[in-house]
Amino acid sequence: MTGRHLITDAQNTWCPGCGNFSIQHTLKNVLTDLEQEGEDLDQIVLVSGIGCHAKIADYLDINSFYSIHGRAIPVASGIKLANRDLKVICCVGDGDAYAEGLDHLIFAAKRNIDITVIVHNNRVYGLTTGQYTPTSPHGFKGKSTPMGTLEYPLNPLELMLASGGTYIARGYTQKRDQLKSLIRGAIDHKGFAFVDVLQICATFFNMTSQYNPRVYPLQEYDRSDAGIACEKVREWDYNSDAPIALGLFYQRSALTFDEQFRHQSLHGKERQILIEEFLATRQ
Amino acid sequence: MTGRHLITDAQNTWCPGCGNFSIQHTLKNVLTDLEQEGEDLDQIVLVSGIGCHAKIADYLDINSFYSIHGRAIPVASGIKLANRDLKVICCVGDGDAYAEGLDHLIFAAKRNIDITVIVHNNRVYGLTTGQYTPTSPHGFKGKSTPMGTLEYPLNPLELMLASGGTYIARGYTQKRDQLKSLIRGAIDHKGFAFVDVLQICATFFNMTSQYNPRVYPLQEYDRSDAGIACEKVREWDYNSDAPIALGLFYQRSALTFDEQFRHQSLHGKERQILIEEFLATRQ
Amino acid sequence: MAQDVSVLVGGKAGDGINSAGAVVAQLLNSVGYHTCTYYEYPSLIRGGHNFAIIRGADHPVDVHRNMVDYVIALNMDTISLHSGRFHEKTVTVFNSDVVKAPGQGISVSAALTSENAPAIMGNSALIGAFASSAGIPWDTVSEVFNRHIPKGADINLRVARKGYDQVTAVHPINRIGDRRFSLISGNEAIALGLIHGGLSAYVSYPMTPSSSLLHFLAEHADRFGITVIHPENEIAVILMALGISYAGGRPAIGTSGGGFCLMTEGLSLAGMAEIPLVIVVSQRTGPSTGLPTFTGQSDLHFILHAGQGEFPRFVVAPGTAREAYAWSAVAMDIAGHYQVPAIILADKTLSEGTFSLDPVQLPEVPFRGPVLWDGSNTYHRYADNGSVVSHQAFPGTRGAVVKVNSYAHDETGITTEEAAIVAQMTRKRMRKAAHLAEAMEAYDTVITDGPVHAGTMLVCWGSVQGACTEAAHELGLRAVRPVVLSPFPEIRLKQALEGARRLISVEENATGQLAALLRLHGITVDTMVLQYDGRPLTPEMLVERLKEAGV
Amino acid sequence: MAQDVSVLVGGKAGDGINSAGAVVAQLLNSVGYHTCTYYEYPSLIRGGHNFAIIRGADHPVDVHRNMVDYVIALNMDTISLHSGRFHEKTVTVFNSDVVKAPGQGISVSAALTSENAPAIMGNSALIGAFASSAGIPWDTVSEVFNRHIPKGADINLRVARKGYDQVTAVHPINRIGDRRFSLISGNEAIALGLIHGGLSAYVSYPMTPSSSLLHFLAEHADRFGITVIHPENEIAVILMALGISYAGGRPAIGTSGGGFCLMTEGLSLAGMAEIPLVIVVSQRTGPSTGLPTFTGQSDLHFILHAGQGEFPRFVVAPGTAREAYAWSAVAMDIAGHYQVPAIILADKTLSEGTFSLDPVQLPEVPFRGPVLWDGSNTYHRYADNGSVVSHQAFPGTRGAVVKVNSYAHDETGITTEEAAIVAQMTRKRMRKAAHLAEAMEAYDTVITDGPVHAGTMLVCWGSVQGACTEAAHELGLRAVRPVVLSPFPEIRLKQALEGARRLISVEENATGQLAALLRLHGITVDTMVLQYDGRPLTPEMLVERLKEAGV
Ligand SMILES: Cc1ncc(C[n+]2csc(CCOP(=O)(O)OP(=O)(O)O)c2C)c(N)n1
Ligand SMILES: Cc1ncc(C[n+]2csc(CCOP(=O)(O)OP(=O)(O)O)c2C)c(N)n1
Ligand code: SF4
Ligand code: SF4
Ligand SMILES: [Mg+2]
Ligand SMILES: [Mg+2]
């Protein structure tokens, strides 16, 4: 299919002003570019968790696996392992990927499996109407913590760096051009690519006025230097008032998990013979 | 109970030469010291996962919760939340805490809940007879990876640092005195204390000859400096031939999760009245 | 003539339908009605169609009906999507800015402008108009607003007055009594029951339709002296709770089917290690993510058998808010006394519906209390001394070494592989099931309603009882319902069903899970009425389905 | 007279009892016997008592017996713990360095020293001695060693010869045939069946007694062209496998009860999204960690009902290695064809036991194959076009947008909350259960053995069939066994049980789970023989239990 519409007929139910629109729009543009460059969009698969963010699976008219809360990443890994020709993009939430299914994120990074993970990090559980997530700031008053959380947020970029991720970036839904280049870079990256997207939740946690004055684009440095990357990543801890760098923090190239498997496809008769050969060794 | 024996009648079934003996012995000595200093050992609780390491729950004659694979840490957290007077020590395996239940470890660190986690890190699944774990070196040939793993190990100390742990240390089963002081320090630390113990598995992964020439005690530095700690922690990545520092890498003091809860214990009649009062607001 | 009125309030998600519904229910409450409110909304935050149906009657009601007598329409969808619910005399009150319809239109924007009020208060104008059309005195409106919208009652009232004054009483709802009930949701009833039963900690990860239980308890944690924790996921939830229970706390946890899946390994641990725990599972339409904001009753067998291996469990499915309160307290007690997991099986209809509870006649709950170690003899956590359960002690108790264990263990809690001990400890655990079943004879485990000699009987479980009871009344049938599902009240149920010539099970699932459970206990259902589109059965729907089935 | 011999090999964990048992079995295999081997060991790595019982007979055998004719004792425990298994003529071969007993002692250390062999080869001396005492020709011993211990066969043989020469034939085991079977474990039979059924990837997290399936497939991944992955935990296992299946691979996963708990949420996803998946669950003694290296049959109802919501599933419990092979292949096919989860329910006895499989008469497995999109019309993943299943296409297929979804969805795979579509899609899914049940008529879903007119019949499931069949023979009873447990072969089972005056269920659990399942299908069991200490029933144990029950 070429020149396709890319948007399904499904009714869009995100709140007005929601940052998810921006991510969807950006992703659509990236896909359009890819198609114009000759990529076959039938080779793209979108995997999502459950949450507001995940509705993108209904909205984009491409192959999709709308999975369960917290578990998009192992699904994406399986897809890539079964068919290395596919480009696999995971859209996950911060509750999804940093709470319910954090281990999968870390292990995908550890394995350097060639998938792209885009975290719609609105720092709140949107769909379940506003509870704190692992990236909510200390003292966040959500429905499960009406007196304010007692915990400090995780810094997902730091965790990714510690886990062996080979492409680590942060975008912001109100910086679309940059977001587009970060997502495009992630898809083009061979290996595990991670983009934490600061996403505005218009209803439960609208951080626009906090983010806008603080965000700035990362300057040039050797992106393969883990030491510098670590320093940059630690500049803002998702809690303080520090400046918030946006951009690609770290990238290196390494063998991917999936490319190390030899794929053989055997057919009925071959299988039968191999089984008989094996059984002979046990006689 | 005082002056007690501390060892149950259960038959010990660790292999000869297993590093678990060393951890058990060290822990027993720490407990004996505590008791001599006037601590009431009835206030100590040991929580374990499942694996060779976990048998320590059968062997030490103290309160224990022999839980399930990967889940000791939330159990320990619950115990501490229910009774802050208890000292809660978690003995977990590397398969246990770094694979099956990694998220719990990270969240316990994030919350800075006041428990001690001792990881019996033999870098192999012992009890299930020798598969790779998240800290096995690249290319490890275990029963599930007979051709060698395709992944690089995680560095658990780096992960702990990224997760907000307030006491981060590494010991070695063949350096018992140091191990004792690290475990003691962990128990005395108010907040989440983490000790990764390089443990010899005599049967499936005996690293004695690799470790012995490489280990060295960490020199003095400001333990509350996360920057230096990070550098030290990254010196050895659980894969390379680098020197292996042992000791306390990082410590800082911070409010604990558990101390921020106000505990009230209401009795039947009080509850009844409060319920009625509440119901009146809904009339 | 019986007083029985229904009001529908509809609008977009984000329009405040929930609070409008709550105020309407309080208005009916204030004029002496028993009420119940059903909320239906899609799984999204803004937009989409939300509605509430508030029913008020001169007798207790647990279910809404299809037909409504009043409509409060915030948008056009409320008229067009629900036209099937209107009868000739249905009074329509609507926002004439956006709705064109016959009936009583008022301009919400005008009301807001004249009072200089924010858009969010628009509903008040329509509520005022409704109150007026229903002949509810202004004093009552004013009292309800002051009581239940304390923040900004004044300005809300001024807006409401605008609506009130534009409309005249069409079809008055008369005051029928002076008592006011307490309006609470099913989840709130569960929460209060848990508290009554001794709850010290609630641990939960949000999942519709259990989330409001978490929210309620978090909000009132200090009031009730409980610890509320929302951890990283459901696995952590159950394991934390088991840690709390082991250490002497009295925890409960809550979730829905998907989250419960992740708890099953911990459930089996609770069974093996004999650690008390109460689990609230509120069902929604499955499988998998399904319809997260719609109802269902398709997790019964899963709940009954979840977790590897065999161990006794208590499972109760309350059908009303009052039962939810009482049985939640009982579940806390049973879990603590028998050292078993106790599961409260609810569903979206019950959890999120709002009901009238009589605050001065709360159910009496007999408490057994935990069986505690008295400090004599050496403490063995799993002592098998002929009594029903081993005595509990908690770590920190002087002189007791408290060892619990997920492995097969001996009386001290130390791992064993010896065949004889394994078998003995299995029997010790299974024995609790028998004792529990016996103890259940003292409780109302089976609810019956309608003529004893009815040839046709309906059997159901959980919240669908509302529709069943009313349909049975209408058709002269008997309605029978097991409240406790494990241990299954076989004998009592058989007694209740004696004489039935035709037995019809009514369930909100696609396979007839209660019918299967009955078959297991030698009771054969002749006909199954199954509903599985996420919408709860109403009395009218059920009557129709029963008539189709030849009743 | 029937040829039927049993050999016990015992020693400490770490003594190499498994390989000794395997060699003894191969010796019997070499002289024409059908064999089966039972291994029993505690959950630890060194120390503790391990033993194997190898049985050889002139007819197929699936179960070991209590009494043994030969004992190979590596330590004293082997004599003292098993004395109840010895009869007058039992031949005892032992290591005289550490065992004092009547019989044929040989000094293992002397044998090793004289050949300058490492300690690990000590077993060879005893095996040699056993072979000699059993009159097995040296040529046969030499051939078996060369074939099955290729690494170091020479020196092992020299050590074995030392043992061989010190002992004389006491009680010869005669050659009874020239065919050799293939000796494989139950898990290996499952693995080969999965491969035969088209397996492309195996994903698993180690858990006894399923681990050897992972180990076997990992070892032979290249040989069979499959991808084998051991991820971070069981949740990742099932979700990865679903990703693989969605992308067109043909995955299977394996675990035991505790790991299966963690897969239940993914299972429900498979049901809702209609993604083919084969799950091997090998049971051990529960609940919770239980007895990890012992057997049990206590997860049946959990497996049948696991996962929130309702969806069809295929569940098969093979009773023999041959069945394990055949049904594993069928499970792959059924999962792929009907787009349902297919569960192979095994247990430790079957998984880890070793059995003789006839390599030239492998079972024929009829394959239906997946139902694939033919490229015409617009592709809709969940098209409800009257056929049994929607056509499958995989991402990467030109022209197909393949959308799968855990939410209630329409035919295109997009989320819907519309009542009519939800109900329709539920019916579409449930319809597969009916089709599957019909298809099952072509398979041997119920196995019967023994006289048709026996008044007393035994009914069982899974590996306990070995004991049941032999006990039934001995007592003249009929033994009946459903192999497929979902869809339940009710009609066929009722036919098989026709005429039974007394029906006895035999199960390795504490509640009688098959008996409950039968009751659900209108079949009443009169007596239950239950075994729940982790030790599998032997024919002798069962005969005794049946006699106690008045048979
Ligand atoms: C196992 C499980 N637990 C809980 C839920 C309920 N649930 C649905 S979405 C969600 C949170 C979504 O938060 P996030 O991932 O941040 O996504 P957002 O809505 O903010 O985009 C939760 C808890 C679920 N579907 N499954
Ligand atoms: C849910 C679950 N999955 C798998 C297992 C099987 N299992 C028991 S111990 C273990 C690994 C133990 O490894 P580790 O934690 O490193 O402990 P060690 O034996 O090395 O001390 C596994 C996989 C289990 N008990 N539960
Ligand atoms: S709740 Fe927040 S994240 Fe969800 S759709 Fe609305 S604005 Fe977006
Ligand atoms: S297998 Fe390894 S870890 Fe386990 S007891 Fe033996 S030496 Fe210790
Ligand atoms: Mg979010
Ligand atoms: Mg280990």
Side-chain angles (χ1 to χ4, degrees), chain D residues 9-345:
Chain D
V9 192
K12 287 200 304 294
D15 274 353
I17 300 303
N18 279 17
S19 45
V23 172
V24 170
Q26 283 293 358
L27 287 172
L28 299 182
N29 190 30
S30 287
V31 292
Y33 282 70
H34 294 259
T35 70
C36 71
T37 306
Y38 169 71
Y39 296 100
E40 188 170 306
Y41 60 101
S43 181
L44 50 80
I45 308 302
R46 300 224 177 284
H49 183 65
N50 277 25
F51 68 94
I53 296 179
I54 306 95
R55 180 176 173 200
D58 55 6
H59 56 278
V61 280
D62 303 315
V63 62
H64 67 286
R65 297 186 65 95
N66 276 6
M67 302 304 287
V68 297
D69 307 296
Y70 301 83
V71 181
I72 304 173
L74 278 69
N75 65 2
M76 198 57 214
D77 274 358
T78 305
I79 306 291
S80 48
L81 293 174
H82 296 284
S83 57
R85 299 186 185 275
F86 306 160
H87 54 70
E88 281 173 9
K89 294 199 177 149
T90 297
V91 179
T92 309
V93 173
F94 57 87
N95 179 355
S96 60
D97 302 341
V98 292
V99 178
K100 302 272 151 287
Q104 318 243 25
I106 60 158
S107 167
V108 168
S109 58
L112 289 169
T113 316
S114 78
E115 297 303 330
N116 211 349
I120 183 195
M121 294 189 176
N123 295 353
S124 294
L126 290 167
I127 291 170
F130 156 71
S132 177
S133 78
I136 296 173
W138 177 250
D139 280 2
T140 306
V141 178
S142 148
E143 202 205 334
V144 163
F145 271 66
N146 279 310
R147 194 187 273 270
H148 295 288
I149 325 180
K151 238 173 72 186
D154 267 20
I155 174 155
N156 266 304
L157 269 171
R158 286 205 306 276
V159 173
R161 185 81 214 190
K162 288 280 158 200
Y164 197 86
D165 287 344
Q166 283 181 53
V167 163
T168 46
V170 194
H171 185 58
I173 296 176
N174 298 322
R175 170 174 293 277
I176 53 172
D178 291 322
R179 299 198 35 210
R180 273 197 313 250
F181 300 100
S182 294
L183 304 197
I184 60 169
S185 72
N187 275 350
E188 287 167 343
I190 292 172
L192 297 172
L194 294 173
I195 291 165
H196 184 42
L199 186 76
S200 77
Y202 185 72
V203 194
S204 182
Y205 187 88
M207 187 162 194
T208 310
S210 73
S211 306
S212 58
L213 188 50
L214 170 62
H215 300 162
F216 176 79
L217 287 167
E219 193 185 333
H220 296 286
D222 282 347
R223 181 197 284 259
F224 294 117
I226 54 177
T227 301
V228 175
I229 304 162
H230 158 188
E232 60 272 27
N233 57 30
E234 289 87 350
I235 302 177
V237 165
I238 188 164
L239 275 298
M240 264 194 196
L242 290 174
I244 291 171
S245 186
Y246 163 73
R250 304 203 52 205
I253 63 181
T255 188
S256 187
F260 180 73
C261 285
L262 297 169
M263 295 176 172
T264 51
E265 197 193 4
L267 179 71
S268 180
L269 167 59
M272 181 57 134
E274 305 194 49
I275 301 173
L277 180 63
V278 171
I279 309 176
V280 181
V281 182
S282 187
Q283 298 164 101
R284 60 195 217 184
T285 322
S288 202
T289 311
L291 291 181
T293 63
F294 289 82
T295 201
Q297 299 190 301
S298 56
D299 298 340
L300 174 56
H301 284 276
F302 179 34
I303 296 291
L304 289 172
H305 300 291
Q308 78 270 32
E310 297 164 310
F311 49 91
R313 72 191 77 194
F314 176 69
V315 179
V316 62
T320 67
R322 191 179 166 83
E323 285 177 7
Y325 175 85
W327 283 103
S328 297
V330 170
M332 288 293 300
D333 187 48
I334 296 286
H337 183 85
Y338 292 98
Q339 305 167 25
V340 293
I343 300 173
I344 299 162
L345 190 52

Side-chain angles (χ1 to χ4, degrees), chain C residues 322-335:
Chain C
R322 190 178 165 83
E323 285 177 5
Y325 176 86
W327 283 103
S328 297
V330 171
M332 288 293 299
D333 187 47
I334 295 287

Side-chain angles (χ1 to χ4, degrees), chain B residues 7-269:
Chain B
I7 302 293
T8 66
D9 294 337
Q11 193 206 337
N12 190 304
T13 58
W14 285 321
C15 311
C18 175
N20 281 316
F21 286 109
S22 162
I23 299 177
Q24 179 183 332
H25 194 75
T26 304
L27 196 50
K28 175 177 172 266
N29 289 343
V30 169
L31 295 175
T32 307
D33 287 359
L34 284 170
E35 189 177 28
Q36 275 163 7
E37 294 164 25
E39 279 281 349
D40 178 0
L41 294 191
D42 288 332
Q43 299 287 336
I44 308 269
V45 184
L46 179 67
V47 184
S48 76
I50 296 294
C52 292
H53 64 277
K55 296 183 175 184
I56 197 169
D58 276 346
Y59 303 157
L60 285 177
D61 193 22
I62 56 176
N63 296 312
S64 63
F65 192 130
Y66 202 154
S67 79
I68 52 177
H69 182 51
R71 314 302 173 187
I73 292 170
V75 168
S77 304
I79 293 170
K80 187 71 189 178
L81 285 165
N83 183 351
R84 287 202 57 224
D85 296 336
L86 299 174
K87 283 198 194 307
V88 186
I89 303 167
C90 251
C91 284
V92 296
D94 49 328
D96 218 42
Y98 300 151
E100 181 74 71
L102 176 62
D103 37 1
H104 308 307
L105 177 66
I106 289 175
F107 278 87
K110 175 181 191 284
R111 287 183 196 112
N112 194 33
I113 185 156
D114 185 16
I115 62 173
T116 294
V117 171
I118 300 170
V119 184
H120 299 221
N121 187 0
N122 55 2
R123 305 172 68 198
V124 72
Y125 290 21
L127 193 61
T128 49
T129 73
Q131 299 86 3
Y132 84 108
T133 71
T135 50
S136 304
H138 181 248
F140 178 87
K141 292 190 166 68
K143 286 199 179 149
S144 61
T145 54
M147 314 289 286
T149 56
L150 308 173
E151 313 176 34
Y152 287 85
L154 290 173
N155 180 339
L157 279 72
E158 201 181 342
L159 273 177
M160 285 294 90
L161 208 55
S163 307
T166 55
Y167 180 103
I168 300 174
R170 179 162 58 218
Y172 175 34
T173 50
Q174 306 210 5
K175 299 283 176 202
R176 292 205 192 179
D177 289 346
Q178 187 195 38
L179 184 59
K180 186 175 165 195
S181 78
L182 293 174
I183 291 180
R184 176 59 194 262
I187 294 174
D188 291 347
H189 175 73
K190 189 164 85 64
F192 182 74
F194 170 83
V195 188
D196 185 63
V197 183
L198 298 176
Q199 178 225 312
I200 294 306
C201 171
T203 299
F204 296 112
F205 201 40
N206 194 334
M207 295 285 280
T208 313
S209 63
Q210 278 85 338
Y211 290 155
N212 282 353
R214 287 184 183 78
V215 294
Y216 74 97
L218 266 176
Q219 68 277 43
E220 288 296 308
Y221 61 85
D222 175 3
R223 292 313 198 237
S224 70
D225 185 324
I228 307 179
C230 186
E231 213 174 90
K232 297 288 174 196
V233 148
R234 293 173 63 124
E235 185 186 29
W236 180 55
D237 62 2
Y238 286 72
N239 199 57
S240 75
D241 274 345
I244 303 174
L246 301 176
L248 174 63
F249 287 77
Y250 182 68
Q251 183 170 25
R252 73 183 157 94
S253 78
L255 270 185
T256 69
F257 188 65
D258 41 295
E259 73 183 316
Q260 299 179 75
F261 286 93
R262 276 171 275 178
H263 283 278
Q264 249 176 299
S265 196
L266 300 175
H267 290 288
K269 196 64 216 157

Side-chain angles (χ1 to χ4, degrees), chain C residues 393-538:
Chain C
F394 307 112
T397 308
R398 197 158 273 277
V401 176
V402 187
K403 294 182 101 64
V404 298
N405 195 342
S406 73
Y407 276 96
H409 45 257
D410 63 17
E411 297 191 33
T412 67
I414 289 178
T415 305
T416 187
E417 295 180 331
E418 269 188 54
I421 304 179
V422 171
Q424 175 207 349
M425 297 305 272
T426 302
R427 282 191 293 267
K428 169 180 134 57
R429 281 191 305 273
M430 299 311 292
R431 208 154 57 214
K432 296 193 295 184
H435 286 287
L436 177 55
E438 219 174 89
M440 277 296 120
E441 287 169 20
Y443 298 79
D444 287 338
T445 53
V446 174
I447 305 295
T448 57
D449 194 278
V452 182
H453 298 299
T456 298
M457 299 193 189
L458 304 182
V459 60
C460 71
W461 62 287
S463 74
V464 77
Q465 69 82 25
C468 266
T469 310
E470 298 203 14
H473 268 245
E474 196 167 324
L475 301 173
L477 315 178
R478 181 167 167 86
V480 174
R481 170 171 58 98
V483 184
V484 174
L485 295 161
S486 169
F488 195 74
E490 178 176 319
I491 296 172
R492 208 175 286 181
L493 196 65
K494 283 182 172 161
Q495 285 163 353
L497 295 172
E498 223 166 314
R501 280 191 306 278
R502 182 177 183 188
L503 187 58
I504 302 178
S505 82
V506 180
E507 303 184 59
E508 286 168 356
N509 58 50
T511 62
Q513 299 202 9
L514 176 63
L517 190 58
L518 294 176
R519 202 148 59 242
L520 192 60
H521 290 278
I523 301 167
T524 307
V525 161
D526 304 292
T527 308
M528 299 193 293
V529 172
L530 304 176
Q531 167 83 0
Y532 44 84
D533 62 10
R535 277 67 179 176
L537 283 167
T538 58

Side-chain angles (χ1 to χ4, degrees), chain A residues 13-15 18-20 52 122 126-127 199-204, chain C residues 45:
Chain A
T13 58
W14 285 321
C15 310
C18 175
N20 281 316
C52 292
N122 54 2
L127 194 61
Q199 178 225 312
I200 295 305
C201 171
T203 299
F204 296 111
Chain C
I45 308 302

Side-chain angles (χ1 to χ4, degrees), chain A residues 40 58 60 111 271 282, chain D residues 188 195 232 398 403 415:
Chain A
D40 178 359
D58 276 346
L60 284 177
R111 286 184 197 111
R271 286 172 180 268
R282 292 300 183 80
Chain D
E188 287 167 343
I195 291 165
E232 60 272 27
R398 196 158 273 277
K403 295 183 100 64
T415 305

